[in-house]
Amino acid sequence: MSNKLNDIVLAVTLENAVKYGGRPNKGSVIGKVLFILPQYRGKLDEIMPIIDSVIKKVSGLSIEEQMTMLKQLEHILPKKDERIDELPALPYAEEGKVITRFAPNPDFVLHLGSVRPLLFSYLYARKYNGKFIVRFEDTDPRTKKPKIEYYDLILKDIKWLGIRPDEIYYQSDRLEIYYDVARKLIEKGYAYICRCKPVEFKNYISQGKACPHREETTKINLNLFDKMVNGELLEGSAVLRIKTDLSHPNPSIRDWPALRIIDTRKYPHPRSGSKYFVWPLYNFSCPVDDHFMKVSHVIRGVEHKVNEEKQAYIYRYMGWQPPYAIHHGRISIPDGVLSKSKILNGIKMGIYSGIDDPQLATLAALRRRGFKPDAIRNVIMRGGLKPSLSVIDWSLLAAENRVLIDKEANRYFVVRNPLKAIFRFNEDRHEIHIRKHPDFPDRGHRILRLNIANKYVNIFIDEGDKQVFIIDKKLRLIGLGNFIVSGYRSDGTIKLKYLDNDVAKAKRKRFPFIHWVPADDNIDVELVYPDRRVYGYGEKELAYEHVDSAVQLERLGYFRIDELKNNKLVLFFTHN
Ligand code: GLU
């Protein structure tokens, strides 16, 4: 009887009890347990005694106790929105035996393109009740230099997407494992230490010839390898190569390099400093890890197709079974730069403010702009794992996201590059109440306060509405009333004449509906768009929304509140 079964039965029973006011419903518990653990279908007599005893135990608890216990166990239940049943079956997948991994290089953060291998690896592990591993591929302290903050940021991105790794590994902790396999390969005669200069080696290999070191004795090779490991050889002076087919049609596969020296006294590794001098290349560490981590399925980009061929040598020489690999196409998004080097260069040159600059399609940037993780998951999931390029349009992402945030987002007025308007107001209405959300009256109203000084009221309107304010034009200021433009003052202030507050008439006569902000009761606002920053005023109550909430600025679109500093509210544009 596995612990997993017991835990699942307990978690399902608690969840069910809490849902039904403290009393678990046996039929639903059985159904859900079998849904999560389909391997027990047809083995009811095996699980019934457990279910019975757990139901008895849970029924004896108070609902508060049930809720507390559920909180601790809830994470083992599949999330309701994981939609794993929509995934097509994975070839060669066995229940409980699917082990997948996502293997980022911590020299950058995740972006939209990273989500595909990450999400599918995770979901397939969940679908088959297997295991999902995150493995940091950080064995290049020189050119793909890992940065300590990226490890954390990547984990933050993963968590933000609602993904929980079962295990996390760091390749930089595993060097002894790679050395061990390297020595075995030398002993078996499948690897050697090449001391050629790069041009010399290229010369040999382009002619399909062996370099002079290829046939040296095991003893010499082992000895040299130890020297490399002990830091006795200089960077670039020796490399461990895997013997392949010297006439392979792809020259990059001919005796490819597996481990090389990096002088960590010059290029210290952020996790292990100068402790190690020999570092595996991706094509070596990857199959070694996939093997020892018992990875059953690998989901990665098509750019790794040739690598698969290189890695196949390791599996063959070591007598290991390779995992089943799916190579999916790249993702591109118009104008959303997804190239690591372009982004890092852009940051250096000041084109981007940082990894979360709103022009970028990094997860950090999408998060800051107010995209919800589920919108990203839905878009990526819909695209599937096809090998061709997928172009994700911003409008697609916006459409998914709009559905998710529209209910949450309260409505407010913000005017950009404001223009002043003035009107005489005889009404005794000092407070204009407007619903926070048209569909949720219970959220109440926001109040725009009018300062009626000597019967005159000053307001601000959005610069973009300038063309509406031409003499004799009728319009409606939302919530306030119907007006006609009567003229301009010499300082440019627009003069309005109040007509009435008849909304039906305004609709019937198709008056433009214009938003506005009281001139004496507002807050400074900065709107951050991907390509520009715009300043203006917002209605005061906007400042009571929490940082991080989604709001809809009427007629401008959806925004995420980024911060309130020195009485100025900064909002990031999400989408229209
Ligand atoms: N670190 C590799 C990458 O980010 C992993 C590729 C793989 O999944 O094998 O592309």
Side-chain angles (χ1 to χ4, degrees):
M1 192 189 312
S2 74
N3 276 338
K4 181 162 184 183
L5 173 64
N6 282 317
D7 287 349
I8 294 278
V9 171
L10 182 57
V12 167
T13 310
L14 287 165
E15 186 190 52
N16 193 269
V18 168
K19 189 166 158 196
Y20 292 105
R23 295 237 186 94
N25 173 307
K26 190 164 162 181
S28 331
V29 170
I30 299 171
K32 178 106 188 230
V33 169
L34 291 180
F35 170 74
I36 300 173
L37 300 173
Q39 66 268 41
Y40 288 99
R41 282 189 195 138
K43 294 189 194 161
L44 266 187
D45 36 335
E46 210 177 295
I47 60 167
M48 276 322 285
I50 303 172
I51 293 185
D52 282 333
S53 91
V54 170
I55 287 188
K56 199 163 158 215
K57 180 175 145 195
V58 169
S59 306
L61 301 173
S62 72
I63 194 153
E64 287 76 23
E65 287 168 326
Q66 290 170 348
M67 282 161 99
T68 316
M69 276 179 84
L70 177 60
K71 277 241 142 48
Q72 288 158 7
L73 272 177
E74 194 160 57
H75 66 278
I76 65 168
L77 296 174
K79 281 199 348 195
K80 283 185 198 63
D81 61 350
E82 263 170 10
R83 301 169 47 188
I84 45 182
D85 20 319
E86 284 173 36
L87 290 173
L90 194 60
Y92 308 106
E94 274 181 66
E95 181 60 33
K97 296 211 177 114
V98 170
I99 300 182
T100 58
R101 77 332 183 250
F102 173 64
N105 297 17
D107 61 342
F108 196 52
V109 288
L110 303 189
H111 53 67
L112 199 62
S114 329
V115 181
R116 181 135 64 171
L118 166 62
L119 183 62
F120 281 99
S121 300
Y122 169 68
L123 291 178
Y124 272 119
R126 286 289 163 273
K127 184 177 173 84
Y128 293 99
N129 293 299
K131 190 159 76 178
F132 170 67
I133 294 171
V134 167
R135 181 171 79 216
F136 284 108
E137 304 212 319
D138 58 347
T139 61
D140 183 354
R142 189 175 173 162
T143 36
K144 289 187 178 174
K145 208 170 173 48
K147 265 198 174 172
I148 217 73
E149 69 253 39
Y150 290 141
Y151 294 92
D152 292 340
L153 288 171
I154 289 172
L155 290 176
K156 182 177 171 185
D157 285 343
I158 293 175
K159 193 169 165 212
W160 179 66
L161 284 172
I163 292 174
R164 293 180 306 266
D166 297 305
E167 287 167 12
I168 300 173
Y169 293 96
Y170 300 81
Q171 287 191 327
S172 53
D173 287 345
R174 301 169 59 79
L175 294 186
E176 304 291 348
I177 299 174
Y178 310 128
Y179 297 168
D180 214 45
V181 176
R183 288 193 180 98
K184 288 205 172 95
L185 287 167
I186 295 175
E187 281 161 13
K188 288 171 184 249
Y190 293 131
Y192 62 98
I193 309 295
C194 168
R195 280 102 69 211
C196 294
K197 295 213 164 62
V199 269
E200 285 168 8
F201 183 79
K202 214 170 158 199
N203 238 329
Y204 288 119
I205 222 68
S206 59
Q207 299 168 42
K209 284 195 191 145
C211 89
H213 313 112
R214 199 179 201 255
E215 301 310 333
E216 264 164 352
T217 63
T218 305
K219 200 166 156 212
I220 292 179
N221 278 311
L222 282 177
N223 197 3
L224 283 167
F225 186 66
D226 285 343
K227 284 198 160 127
M228 285 169 73
V229 169
N230 295 335
E232 291 167 36
L233 299 184
L234 288 180
E235 200 177 282
S237 68
V239 53
L240 183 138
R241 294 189 178 277
I242 304 297
K243 290 186 188 170
T244 68
D245 176 1
L246 286 177
S247 56
H248 194 287
N250 180 348
S252 84
I253 292 182
R254 299 178 192 165
D255 284 19
W256 54 268
L259 292 113
R260 63 1 190 155
I261 302 167
I262 295 179
D263 188 350
T264 46
R265 284 164 294 217
K266 263 198 248 149
Y267 307 101
H269 191 281
R271 298 184 76 251
S272 56
S274 310
K275 190 168 166 198
Y276 297 105
F277 302 108
V278 173
W279 295 86
L281 285 124
Y282 161 74
N283 280 314
F284 187 69
S285 45
C286 177
V288 171
D289 281 344
D290 284 346
H291 170 74
F292 287 117
M293 293 173 189
K294 299 193 170 56
V295 169
S296 63
H297 293 77
V298 168
I299 296 171
R300 62 179 159 213
V302 273
E303 68 275 17
H304 289 294
K305 197 89 190 127
V306 173
N307 291 329
E308 187 186 32
E309 222 181 310
K310 292 185 185 171
Q311 295 174 21
Y313 286 94
I314 305 295
Y315 288 103
R316 195 160 359 116
Y317 292 158
M318 293 302 292
W320 299 337
Q321 169 77 24
Y324 180 83
I326 296 177
H327 292 98
H328 58 75
R330 279 185 172 280
I331 283 185
S332 88
I333 181 159
D335 306 327
V337 190
L338 292 181
S339 138
K340 205 182 281 189
S341 51
K342 271 193 194 153
I343 296 175
L344 289 175
N345 263 333
I347 293 176
K348 251 190 224 143
M349 292 169 56
I351 302 170
Y352 308 124
S353 56
I355 49 145
D356 60 357
D357 185 290
Q359 296 173 75
L360 303 175
T362 55
L363 295 190
L366 294 171
R367 178 163 59 232
R368 195 153 188 209
R369 281 184 56 182
F371 284 92
K372 296 284 173 188
D374 279 344
I376 295 166
R377 286 175 61 136
N378 291 348
V379 166
I380 298 294
M381 229 180 128
R382 185 131 19 86
L385 278 175
K386 56 179 191 209
S388 53
L389 176 87
S390 322
V391 180
I392 292 182
D393 209 277
W394 282 104
S395 62
L396 197 69
L397 211 48
E400 283 286 350
N401 200 59
R402 197 173 295 117
V403 178
L404 298 174
I405 63 172
D406 184 69
K407 288 195 187 79
E408 167 189 335
N410 286 333
R411 280 39 174 172
Y412 293 97
F413 291 164
V414 161
V415 291
R416 302 163 302 177
N417 301 324
L419 303 174
K420 211 168 196 172
I422 186 164
F423 55 88
R424 197 181 153 87
F425 204 47
N426 286 322
E427 306 258 309
D428 191 21
R429 287 193 285 138
H430 295 259
E431 288 186 349
I432 305 300
H433 292 221
I434 307 177
R435 267 194 195 165
K436 284 199 176 153
H437 196 296
D439 305 333
F440 301 100
D442 51 322
R443 284 196 207 163
H445 295 83
R446 42 205 239 254
I447 301 172
L448 288 86
R449 291 192 170 76
L450 301 179
N451 178 8
I452 311 180
N454 302 323
K455 303 229 178 276
Y456 278 89
V457 173
N458 285 294
I459 59 159
F460 286 118
I461 58 140
D462 192 287
E463 190 190 37
D465 286 329
K466 200 172 173 179
Q467 77 286 356
V468 174
F469 291 81
I470 44 179
I471 293 179
D472 287 342
K473 177 117 184 156
K474 287 180 184 160
L475 56 101
R476 177 163 181 81
L477 292 176
I478 303 169
L480 185 53
N482 301 332
F483 291 81
I484 185 164
V485 181
S486 56
Y488 289 94
R489 284 193 177 160
S490 54
D491 66 355
T493 304
I494 303 159
K495 291 200 287 182
L496 299 173
K497 187 170 179 299
Y498 178 73
L499 301 173
D500 53 59
N501 191 18
D502 186 344
V503 190
K505 181 175 102 187
K507 282 190 185 149
R508 201 171 55 246
K509 301 212 162 176
R510 295 177 188 245
F511 292 171
F513 276 55
I514 304 295
H515 67 284
W516 55 280
V517 164
D520 313 286
D521 189 44
N522 57 49
I523 176 164
D524 286 347
V525 160
E526 177 178 344
L527 302 181
V528 182
Y529 289 88
D531 56 344
R532 65 191 194 282
R533 286 168 186 257
V534 182
Y535 300 87
Y537 300 127
E539 55 178 284
K540 202 75 171 261
E541 288 200 23
L542 195 45
Y544 302 138
E545 287 280 343
H546 295 294
V547 164
D548 208 32
S549 26
V551 291
Q552 190 191 37
L553 302 185
E554 291 203 43
R555 303 177 62 232
L556 305 186
Y558 294 89
F559 288 77
R560 176 186 153 275
I561 301 192
D562 192 63
E563 67 170 338
L564 175 63
K565 67 166 185 213
N566 310 330
N567 271 329
K568 184 175 77 178
L569 207 54
V570 181
L571 294 106
F572 272 58
F573 175 67
T574 315
H575 46 69
N576 284 317

